[in-house]
Structures are given as C-alpha cells and as structure tokens.
Amino acid sequence: MKKFSTAVCIFALAVPLGALAAAADSNANCRFLDAAPDQHAVVRGDTLWGISGKFLQHPWCWPQVWDMNREQIRNPHWIYPGQIVYLDRVAGRLRLAQPVGSDTNGANVRLAPQIRSRQLDAEAIAAIPSGAIEPFLSQPLIVEPAQLQGTPRIVATQEGRVYLGKNDKAYIRGDLADGTTFQVFRPAKPLTDPDSKAILGYEAMYLGDVTLERSAAAADEAHTFIVTRSKEEMGVGDRLLPTPPVPIMNYVPHVPASPVGARVISVYGGVSHAGSNQIVAINRGSADGIDVGTALELYRFGRIVPDPTDDKKPVKLPDQRYGSLFVFRVFEQVSYGLIMQVTDSVQVGDVARSPE
C-alpha cells in the first residue's frame, strides 16, 4: 500500500479526539469484554482491529468507541508503536495517550496530552492486516465475459518450458497500446448465486506480472516479455491486461446502512475452505448497499434434525455465528472480503450478514 511522506500533526490525547460517537453501552454490538484490560501498549505489528479486539466483543466497533468523528477515522495514520490505549470505563470509551513521565519511584506512568509532528510512513499501524489484501487491490477480479477477448496473449513460452515462472521469457501477440507492464490472467470462471442460480460475474485468476523486454520488430513477430512476479504458473493462452495504479484506500469498518444477507460464493484460489486472512467473494455488491469497509458476521446454516419429542418432525437448529468478514473490494453484484477472527473454517455457501 502506498505510503505517505507528508508531515502532519498527530494529537496524542488523553481527552476526546473528536466529536462524540454513540457510547458503547448504548449499542449492544459494541459492548466491552468483561475481562477487557485497563490498557494496551501499542507495538509493531498491531492493527486497530486487533487492538480493539482486546477490549470489544466485536472489533469492527472500534470507530464508535474512539470518540472520533467519521472524517477523523478515515485516516488510519494516527496511532504509533509506543503509545498507550486505555479503557475509560466511566465514559465507555477507548482513549489514546502517550507516556510522558513517571513518579519518583518509576512505578506509575502519567498519561497526558501531547502534540507532536510525525511522518505518515510505515511506522503508523494499519486499521486491518493490509498486507493480506494489497495484492488484490489492483486486480480486476470480476470481468465481463468479453473483457479479455482481444487483449494481448501468450503464444509461446521459453524453450523447454511448459509453464512460466519468475524470470522466464514469454512471447506475446497483440496490441500493447504502448504499455510496458502487464498483469497476466487466466480466462474467467463464472460466479453463480447459490440462491437464484444466476451468474453474477466472472472471476479472472491473477497469475502474475510481466514486463516488456523487446517489442516486435514486425507485424508477424511476437513481443518478448520477462515474468517479474509469478503467483501461479502461466502458459500459452493466458491473457494480459495493463497494470493499473494501486488505489489508496482507508478502511473504516462500519455496519451496512440497511440489513444485508449474503452468501459466500467463492474462496479465492479455488479451494473449498478458508481461514483467517484469506479472501472470499459474496453474492452482494454495490447494488445491495455494500461499500468498502462493510463489516459482516459469518454464520453456518443450522442443521435440520428430527425432533424426538414430536414424532421426529424436522426442526432447524439456529445458524451459528463463527467469525467476521471485512469487505475491501466491491463490484456491482459481487464483493470481496478479508476473513477476520473465525472459530471455524469458512465454506462456500456460508452466510454473511449484518451484525445483529
């Protein structure tokens, strides 16, 4: 993810950092854990989601208990290793403070307001584990059936290679439109809605990146490319799309504006099960009110069992909540989410719905 170098003032305050948000005790979803600690010292590798999970039953509630308004929490670069997060139990808030001294015997740390200027660089902690989704931010995961038709394609591999890996040569035919760096995709597979059976879109498999080494000298000659990144094996017939700029995104978790009920339709990579920090697709998108940062809860359908007390008539058991999903990329009918804390594996067909 792109790093910023613009210097700004970071206010490390032991008083409210912005306009009041709704108190945690006014929202059942934002209750503090009974065993929540009094404070947490921020260390490298922490995320806002992870820190909030030490205090809250539902970590996606963190914007509501930081005493910050929506504009302030859009910028995740406001908390650094060495700062202290502490729980104000009276106000039902999390506060951010900087240790600036101790008493004469060194036993107590005094928390006080402090203003300091910092560079917005890699030192600031992220809102979520952004490294898990960065590779997916610029990949057109959902494409139209004809979108890859007519794009440059691999027509031959380096001699002796069936499939290509990093540093291998690929021979490409097609109009490069003056481009020099491309992403390689395998023709798309359909994503089907498990309820309506309608095709919602086509997911193209990202294989890696290639860079132009030598342009074709004649119309009937192939261009020569070098594989600079290999995620999956690529070969003859795979298609190229220009490498787009990586978007700059801030990830503010929030519940959908209106209730959403979705199903998991794909685990990225073609497997059937997934765990924390893996990517899944759901059958809801911008047309259904989903946007970047939408937080959903993951459920498994309750089993149908015979009721032994009522002539063995079938009865459905309640759906079981087992984790959270954080949406980071949205298309019209399909969205991609990062699996957060889960107590079970995520499977195609599972439910992802608005927090209750």
Side-chain angles (χ1 to χ4, degrees):
M1 187 172 293
K2 185 175 179 179
K3 304 297 187 296
F4 293 85
S5 60
T6 304
V8 299
C9 287
I10 301 296
F11 291 82
L13 301 177
V15 295
L17 291 173
L20 285 176
D25 57 6
S26 69
N27 187 334
N29 283 325
C30 290
R31 291 175 180 164
F32 285 96
L33 295 169
D34 293 336
D38 293 326
Q39 64 182 39
H40 170 78
V42 181
V43 298
R44 293 186 184 278
D46 275 344
T47 62
L48 288 175
W49 187 291
I51 292 173
S52 299
K54 297 178 182 295
F55 297 92
L56 293 162
Q57 291 182 357
H58 299 286
W60 50 261
C61 283
W62 65 260
Q64 297 176 248
V65 295
W66 279 98
D67 262 359
M68 302 185 76
N69 61 37
R70 191 171 180 83
E71 289 306 311
Q72 287 170 308
I73 59 180
R74 285 185 188 279
N75 180 7
H77 301 279
W78 53 273
I79 182 170
Y80 292 82
Q83 292 180 314
I84 304 294
V85 175
Y86 76 96
L87 173 56
D88 184 339
R89 298 181 186 274
V90 175
R93 293 286 186 271
L94 294 178
R95 312 289 194 196
L96 179 64
Q98 179 72 17
V100 295
S102 60
D103 65 6
T104 54
N105 61 20
N108 298 316
V109 174
R110 180 170 63 88
L111 303 176
Q114 185 184 20
I115 298 177
R116 56 182 176 170
S117 177
R118 301 294 297 266
Q119 297 291 321
L120 295 186
D121 54 19
E123 189 177 349
I125 71 168
I128 61 171
S130 55
I133 63 174
E134 283 177 358
F136 301 90
L137 295 180
S138 62
Q139 296 168 17
L141 301 177
I142 301 299
V143 298
E144 295 299 323
Q147 186 175 344
L148 294 178
Q149 297 299 317
T151 59
R153 64 211 181 271
I154 299 176
V155 296
T157 61
Q158 185 171 335
E159 186 176 353
R161 304 279 197 276
V162 175
Y163 292 104
L164 300 172
K166 187 174 181 179
N167 297 324
D168 287 342
K169 290 186 178 182
Y171 299 99
I172 310 296
R173 292 292 304 277
D175 182 7
L176 303 182
D178 296 324
T180 59
T181 60
F182 291 80
Q183 295 177 327
V184 183
F185 290 88
R186 186 141 299 147
K189 69 173 184 178
L191 293 178
T192 304
D193 190 302
D195 299 320
S196 68
K197 308 306 179 184
I199 293 177
L200 302 177
Y202 292 82
E203 182 182 78
M205 179 180 289
Y206 167 73
L207 306 177
D209 301 328
V210 294
T211 299
L212 179 66
E213 182 184 63
R214 180 181 179 275
S215 296
D220 61 349
E221 184 176 301
H223 309 285
T224 303
F225 278 76
I226 298 295
V227 178
T228 55
R229 181 174 186 266
S230 177
K231 183 175 181 291
E232 303 284 346
E233 292 178 332
M234 58 187 76
V236 172
D238 292 332
R239 296 280 180 165
L240 276 64
L241 289 175
T243 301
V246 177
I248 302 168
M249 303 294 293
N250 292 326
Y251 305 101
V252 181
H254 55 273
V255 298
S258 57
V260 169
R263 301 279 298 279
V264 175
I265 58 174
S266 173
V267 177
Y268 195 72
V271 296
S272 59
H273 293 70
S276 294
N277 289 341
Q278 288 186 268
I279 308 297
V280 297
I282 60 173
N283 63 337
R284 296 291 184 268
S286 59
D288 308 289
I290 299 290
D291 61 355
V292 172
T294 294
L296 301 172
E297 293 186 331
L298 293 165
Y299 287 82
R300 180 142 304 134
F301 275 125
R303 295 181 294 115
I304 305 294
V305 300
D307 182 355
T309 67
D310 189 13
D311 226 7
K312 295 190 175 180
K313 292 180 179 177
V315 59
K316 181 182 180 299
L317 301 182
D319 296 343
Q320 297 296 312
R321 187 177 71 84
Y322 67 91
S324 302
L325 186 69
F326 186 91
V327 174
F328 67 89
R329 195 144 196 245
V330 179
F331 298 88
E332 184 177 3
Q333 298 184 86
V334 175
S335 299
Y336 285 85
L338 178 67
I339 300 169
M340 306 304 288
Q341 300 93 336
V342 288
T343 57
D344 201 350
S345 63
V346 183
Q347 301 177 28
V348 172
D350 284 353
V351 175
R353 64 178 185 236
S354 302
E356 296 177 351

